[in-house]
Amino acid sequence: MRSSEGADRGSVTAEAAVAVPALVVFAMALVWALMAASAQIQCVDAARAGARAAARSEPRAAALAAARSAAPEGARVTLGRAGELWRVRVEAKAPG
């Protein structure tokens, strides 16, 4: 019976050696997903702020400034008009 106990002795170490890196990768993926979702929400909020300013007939520079102030750092903001509608586009690189 002792021989079977010795064979199982290193299995916990082997399982931990596989499980710990997998958990680290999973945690990193979750953090990245949260950061990407946060950037997406910031882009939507920035576009909304710019469109609201444009709808209030504020000058184009003021609408762009409103969108840029709410946008993530390094985002590209464009403002255009199609007929009666204003379109604000906010693009930012995904983190990581």
Side-chain angles (χ1 to χ4, degrees):
M1 295 237 174
R2 275 198 164 262
S3 62
S4 65
E5 288 177 11
D8 291 339
R9 192 170 186 176
S11 65
V12 173
T13 304
E15 290 170 1
V18 172
V20 170
L23 289 174
V24 169
V25 169
F26 181 71
M28 289 175 56
L30 284 177
V31 169
W32 177 84
L34 288 172
M35 290 173 55
S38 174
Q40 171 70 20
I41 291 169
Q42 283 181 315
C43 287
V44 169
D45 288 345
R48 186 177 295 129
R52 189 176 298 120
R56 288 192 306 249
S57 299
E58 292 185 18
R60 184 179 190 93
L64 283 171
R68 284 191 181 111
S69 69
E73 190 173 327
R76 190 174 70 158
V77 179
T78 57
L79 177 67
R81 187 169 185 168
E84 294 292 316
L85 299 175
W86 284 95
R87 178 168 292 171
V88 180
R89 185 178 187 126
V90 180
E91 297 177 16
K93 290 189 176 188

